[in-house]
Amino acid sequence: MADVSNDYPTVEKADYIFGCMASNGQTRDSLERCSCSIDTIASILPYSEYEEAEVILRMNKIAGQSSELFRTSGDLHDKVANMRRAQAEAEVKCFP
C-alpha cells in the first residue's frame, strides 16, 4: 500500500498549518500540534478525498440553486463526514 500521507502537496499542508496556527496561536507548540494534525488527517484520508470534501464545504456556503446539489446529495455528505472523522482523530491525537 502506498503511503497516503505523501500524496498531499506541501503547499496544501502549509496552508492547513497556517490556518490551524491562526486558530490555536502562533507558538512552537501550535506548529507541532498543527503539523501533527495534518499528518494524521493525511494518514487516514487520501488527498483526492480531502480535496473533494473541501470543495463540497466551500460550495455549501454559496447561496442559490446552483449549489443545491452540494447541500442535498448523500454521497457528498459522506465525503464530508469522512473528512470530519479524520479531523476528529487528529484532534484527539494532536490536541489532547
Side-chain angles (χ1 to χ4, degrees), residues 1-10 13 38-47:
M1 184 169 136
D3 184 4
V4 175
S5 65
N6 283 334
D7 76 342
Y8 278 56
T10 301
K13 285 185 171 185
I38 190 59
D39 287 344
T40 300
I41 292 168
S43 73
I44 297 168
L45 198 65
Y47 179 67

Side-chain angles (χ1 to χ4, degrees), residues 4-84:
V4 175
S5 65
N6 283 334
D7 76 342
Y8 278 56
T10 301
V11 77
E12 293 297 327
K13 285 185 171 185
D15 280 343
Y16 180 93
I17 292 167
F18 286 139
C20 177
M21 288 180 70
S23 298
N24 294 289
Q26 305 291 329
T27 65
R28 177 69 185 183
D29 182 59
S30 177
L31 171 63
E32 290 175 10
R33 291 176 187 267
C34 293
S35 296
C36 170
S37 181
I38 190 59
D39 287 344
T40 300
I41 292 168
S43 73
I44 297 168
L45 198 65
Y47 179 67
S48 61
E49 292 179 32
Y50 176 85
E51 187 175 38
E52 287 174 357
E54 285 288 319
V55 168
I56 293 163
L57 289 172
R58 281 194 300 273
M59 293 302 294
N60 281 341
K61 294 178 182 178
I62 298 173
Q65 287 183 320
S66 62
S67 63
E68 186 67 21
L69 169 69
F70 293 94
R71 288 188 291 277
T72 59
S73 171
D75 289 339
L76 299 181
H77 283 273
D78 290 345
K79 290 178 187 276
V80 171
N82 289 340
M83 184 178 76
R84 296 278 192 231

